[in-house]
Amino acid sequence: MSRLDSFIRRMTAQRDILDQVCAEVAKMEGPVIEFGLGNGRTFHHLRERLPGRRIVAFDRALAAHASSIPEPENLVLGEIRETATRFIGIDAALVHADIGTGYEDRDAVTATWLPDLTARLLRVGGIAVSGTPLDHPRLQRLPPPPSVPADRYFICRRV
Ligand code: SAM
């Protein structure tokens, strides 16, 4: 499979998962946490699917399209591992983490801190969606939509 095919599959999977979980998150109270604002495409999608919901977006630096920049109070710049700790207990309805690199060694380091941080940000019943694994006793794995290949994305519920 070419990298272009792979990219298209990844974006389609991401969109299908966000659409599936947003239907549930819409019925739940709590803000949304967006780890990895990047260009702001998924932030823009979440904002459309969850109108009026607070979305707090994190990245090392702002590089988003002008149409996809959060309000200053909802943009947190710096290393997520450090900056997000002050939001622990925020009772988020959704944590979306799009910070995978495609490099096994770097993603393995992320897997050492992201699951615990995610569990501490979510409300009970809240949902996490991540491109890197979320192995944690308080995060119960959920099945992806049928269009999404297994082990490409990780969807979990905070228990
Ligand atoms: N979801 C975005 C979109 O739809 O446009 C794309 C996100 S991009 C794949 C990943 C982003 O996560 C990059 O902008 C990178 O700077 C950021 N990132 C990755 N690891 C990070 C970390 N540990 N702390 C802060 N930002 C991080």
Side-chain angles (χ1 to χ4, degrees):
M1 185 191 292
S2 75
R3 286 186 59 214
L4 178 61
D5 286 332
S6 169
F7 178 74
I8 290 168
R9 270 175 60 146
R10 191 162 70 82
M11 293 301 100
T12 304
Q14 198 174 42
R15 192 265 326 273
D16 290 353
I17 289 172
L18 291 180
D19 283 351
Q20 175 177 289
V21 302
C22 279
E24 192 172 343
V25 167
K27 298 177 208 149
M28 233 185 266
E29 284 188 16
V32 170
I33 299 288
E34 170 82 333
F35 282 155
L37 176 64
N39 181 277
R41 292 189 184 97
T42 51
F43 169 78
H44 191 270
H45 195 74
L46 290 167
R47 206 169 51 178
E48 276 201 4
R49 291 292 182 272
L50 299 166
R53 187 70 63 109
R54 182 181 183 202
I55 305 176
V56 188
F58 295 72
D59 209 304
R60 292 192 174 105
L62 178 59
H65 186 269
S67 66
S68 309
I69 296 178
E71 311 77 20
E73 66 275 20
N74 290 327
L75 175 64
V76 184
L77 299 181
E79 277 299 313
I80 290 167
R81 188 178 184 175
E82 290 152 21
T83 57
T85 54
R86 75 180 160 97
F87 293 86
I88 285 171
I90 194 172
D91 280 344
L94 172 66
V95 172
H96 173 231
D98 186 15
I99 58 173
T101 63
Y103 293 100
E104 260 180 45
D105 53 342
R106 291 186 211 170
D107 291 348
V109 173
T110 300
T112 63
W113 56 266
L114 182 63
D116 189 60
L117 179 60
T118 298
R120 297 166 82 183
L121 290 166
L122 282 171
R123 58 177 287 164
V124 171
I127 295 176
V129 173
S130 174
T132 53
L134 289 174
D135 296 326
H136 191 277
R138 295 212 163 276
L139 297 174
Q140 185 180 69
R141 189 98 184 255
L142 300 176
S147 61
V148 177
D151 284 339
R152 202 171 180 95
Y153 271 93
F154 302 87
I155 312 176
C156 300
R157 186 185 305 285
R158 165 79 159 81
V159 292

